[in-house]
Amino acid sequence: MTQSQNAAPTADAPLRYWVCSTQRSGSTLLCDLLAQTGAHGAPEEFFDTRKAVFRDLYDAAGGTREQYLAWLVAHRSSPNGAFGVKLHWNQGVGFMRGARADLMAHARLGTGAAAVRKLASKFDGLRYVWVRREDRVGQAVSLYRARNTNQWVRPDGDTNARRPDPAFDADEIARALRWLTRVDTGWQRYFGRVGAPAHVVHYERLAADPSAVLGDLGTHLGVPITAQLAPRLERQRDDWSTEMRERYIEARGVPAELTS
């Protein structure tokens, strides 16, 4: 059941929301800012079945989906009862289908959409935030880098040396771009099928003006965000990523979805 955008959360019906995302879309940045408010839960990838922390928490909660969901709401909500999740499309499918690996084979639209819809039914009054990145090639380059360095997040001020960046590989960047398109398409079709309104957050605007983006988002979620919050994560785009993006476009051209 999706809550009306006009109905504010209450003590009896606290905020429940998903940050729907693809990898390297800026979702980690957004969720970190939401966690800083103290009134929007602590949205994380609670359904990433690949991670040891998921398996440990899942087993500690009782070893069933219902017990795990109840544990999350009890222990990961903010004092006002608000609870949020950061969710990649394929993670929701894998969690509901019992996959202990984040495999896209479990995320095809047919049964995949049914699985995500079933997960959504576990949250009364669920609201959706859809994080997207306008620069899809830049996003694919970022995913290519993260996959090869296994360095997904850097706290601001981290003095540890970056791991060596991979060499240019147009095929691997193209593979990353196909993955991102497929996951994003899953969300797009899901919203269309369930008729759910999703508040879209673009990474580029979030990075440029987080206060304005958070203000609009607080209105959508029904729990205002008025504090001036600063990102705690280092922006990873640099000369290397800019060069890789330019070389990819020179080699493969601009993807069709970016020219329409």
Side-chain angles (χ1 to χ4, degrees):
M1 181 184 301
T2 301
Q3 190 172 15
S4 167
Q5 292 192 68
N6 295 322
T10 65
D12 294 330
L15 174 63
R16 301 285 182 264
Y17 70 98
W18 286 357
V19 175
C20 306
S21 57
T22 55
Q23 293 163 313
R24 320 312 290 168
S25 63
S27 55
T28 300
L29 169 62
L30 177 61
C31 289
D32 179 67
L33 290 167
L34 285 167
Q36 288 187 56
T37 70
H40 296 80
E44 297 179 20
E45 293 178 39
F46 296 124
F47 303 125
D48 187 348
T49 59
R50 300 170 305 168
K51 294 182 178 178
V53 66
F54 164 83
R55 294 190 291 273
D56 291 344
L57 288 178
Y58 189 86
D59 293 339
T64 71
R65 292 190 194 94
E66 296 299 330
Q67 289 171 316
Y68 180 61
L69 289 170
W71 186 95
L72 286 176
V73 172
H75 293 86
R76 293 294 185 265
S77 296
S78 51
N80 63 352
F83 176 77
V85 170
K86 174 187 170 185
L87 187 66
H88 297 326
W89 165 259
N90 40 304
Q91 291 173 355
V93 178
F95 174 75
M96 293 305 293
R97 298 191 68 185
R100 284 296 179 106
D102 194 15
L103 302 176
M104 203 61 189
H106 291 272
R108 299 185 185 281
L109 179 60
T111 56
V116 176
R117 195 167 185 172
K118 185 175 181 180
L119 179 58
S121 72
K122 308 294 184 182
F123 300 93
D124 290 335
L126 184 63
R127 301 181 187 223
Y128 297 100
V129 182
W130 189 13
V131 186
R132 309 195 68 186
R133 190 161 167 174
E134 294 175 334
D135 181 5
R136 300 298 296 277
V137 175
Q139 185 179 3
V141 167
S142 181
L143 178 55
Y144 170 59
R145 171 190 249 173
R147 281 174 170 173
N148 280 272
T149 63
N150 198 32
Q151 198 164 40
W152 297 84
V153 175
R154 283 178 62 89
D156 194 24
D158 188 348
T159 58
N160 293 323
R162 285 183 179 273
R163 295 168 187 168
D165 288 318
F168 176 73
D169 189 326
D171 289 340
E172 285 301 303
I173 295 172
R175 184 170 74 92
L177 185 59
R178 288 194 298 272
W179 166 270
L180 293 169
T181 299
R182 193 173 179 188
V183 176
D184 229 9
T185 298
W187 283 124
Q188 185 176 23
R189 292 180 178 176
Y190 171 78
F191 295 136
R193 285 195 172 196
V194 302
H199 180 83
V200 177
V201 171
H202 285 111
Y203 165 74
E204 288 81 1
R205 183 168 179 244
L206 176 64
D209 193 353
S211 294
V213 171
L214 291 171
D216 292 343
L217 179 55
T219 299
H220 169 74
L221 295 177
V223 179
I225 302 174
T226 57
Q228 298 297 308
L229 303 173
R232 297 184 293 191
L233 305 176
E234 179 183 309
R235 189 172 183 178
Q236 297 191 49
R237 183 173 180 175
D238 56 17
D239 291 343
W240 178 90
S241 53
T242 299
E243 179 187 350
M244 294 300 106
R245 180 184 184 280
E246 292 173 351
R247 289 181 64 179
Y248 180 83
I249 292 175
E250 182 179 356
R252 298 294 177 88
V254 178
E257 65 267 22
L258 301 184
T259 61
S260 58

